[in-house]
Amino acid sequence: QLQLQESGPGLVKPSETLSLTCTVSGGSISSRTDYWGWIRQPPGKGLEWLGSINYSGSTSYNPSLKSRLTISVDTSKNHFFLRLNSVTAADTAVYYCAREIRYFDWFTTWGQGTLVTVSS
Amino acid sequence: EIVLTQVPATLSLSPGERATLSCRASQSVNNHLAWYQQRPGQAPRLLIYDASNRATGIPARFSGSGSGTDFTLTISSLEPEDSAVYSCQQRSNWPPTFGGGTKVEIK
């Protein structure tokens, strides 16, 4: 059974870089059709898609964050990563990783999410 | 980008009652709409895709309907474990967007 798990620091200082890892288990991140995405949810607000990546490193980013966001993949470890630089309090959110069975498709499997707070 | 508006923000009902949740799109998304369930502390779960198709393992009490700009998620007879936030998502126009969510409380 495919499972995803987010990990990373729960507290990041303003202007610094937020870095998270998503570990995929019970399946291979190297599937030719799957895409792997990051979604976040600020406190009291709705979900926001951040971006997605496939096994070969092909990425798609939300235009609202594109200048600050990098998503990468390590197929040897079945991990993919999120880096968001120059963070502010507005980046405080629960961050989820999720699987899409193909590009721009539904998010069929999600991690439990990890809360990241931006504060000095 | 397409804006999805969900009403009501909160729904408080008793077990066995029928829940009707609404999602309205700022422009037509055809049938490219999904519903997700978020229970506290748990991973979000895909319930309905393509407006009316139940995802694998989803109980029959969950149903989706609608097309174009107006969509409905119906829970025919509420169970205590249905207490959650329900969010809609469109994939008709890139980027994918989500609604603000409806919180369902079980009395």
Side-chain angles (χ1 to χ4, degrees), chain B residues 24-63:
Chain B
R24 176 165 289 178
S26 59
Q27 64 189 77
S28 176
V29 299
N30 296 302
N31 71 329
H32 299 309
L33 190 107
W35 292 92
Y36 298 88
Q37 178 190 61
Q38 293 176 264
R39 291 174 178 151
Q42 294 188 18
R45 179 169 68 151
L46 176 66
L47 295 177
I48 302 288
Y49 65 94
D50 293 345
S52 61
N53 296 301
R54 271 190 302 277
T56 303
I58 301 304
R61 65 180 182 274
F62 292 93
S63 63

Side-chain angles (χ1 to χ4, degrees), chain A residues 20-33:
Chain A
L20 295 175
T21 299
C22 182
T23 300
V24 178
S25 60
S28 174
I29 204 169
S30 298
S31 164
R32 297 278 171 167
T33 58

Side-chain angles (χ1 to χ4, degrees), chain A residues 19-88:
Chain A
S19 296
L20 295 175
T21 299
C22 182
T23 300
V24 178
S25 60
S28 174
I29 204 169
S30 298
S31 164
R32 297 278 171 167
T33 58
D34 288 352
Y35 269 72
W36 307 92
W38 289 98
I39 299 119
R40 71 181 180 181
Q41 186 167 35
K45 296 187 177 181
L47 295 160
E48 178 185 27
W49 172 76
L50 304 180
S52 298
I53 192 167
N54 74 352
Y55 76 101
S56 69
S58 177
T59 53
S60 179
Y61 295 131
N62 192 315
S64 67
L65 290 162
K66 187 173 183 178
S67 63
R68 298 194 292 131
L69 182 63
T70 303
I71 296 175
S72 57
V73 64
D74 183 340
T75 55
S76 67
K77 295 183 178 178
N78 242 25
H79 293 171
F80 63 106
F81 310 95
L82 175 145
R83 285 175 58 88
L84 183 66
N85 58 34
S86 305
V87 297
T88 69

Side-chain angles (χ1 to χ4, degrees), chain A residues 39 41 44-49 60-64 96 100 102-113, chain B residues 1 31-34 36 38 41-46 49-50 87 89-96 98-100:
Chain A
I39 299 119
Q41 186 167 35
K45 296 187 177 181
L47 295 160
E48 178 185 27
W49 172 76
S60 179
Y61 295 131
N62 192 315
S64 67
Y96 297 98
E100 301 165 77
R102 64 183 66 84
Y103 175 68
F104 195 30
D105 208 306
W106 308 120
F107 299 99
T108 56
T109 308
W110 297 62
Q112 287 194 311
Chain B
E1 69 179 40
N31 71 329
H32 299 309
L33 190 107
Y36 298 88
Q38 293 176 264
Q42 294 188 18
R45 179 169 68 151
L46 176 66
Y49 65 94
D50 293 345
S87 298
Q89 180 222 334
Q90 67 82 24
R91 69 172 187 89
S92 177
N93 279 29
W94 189 89
F98 294 84

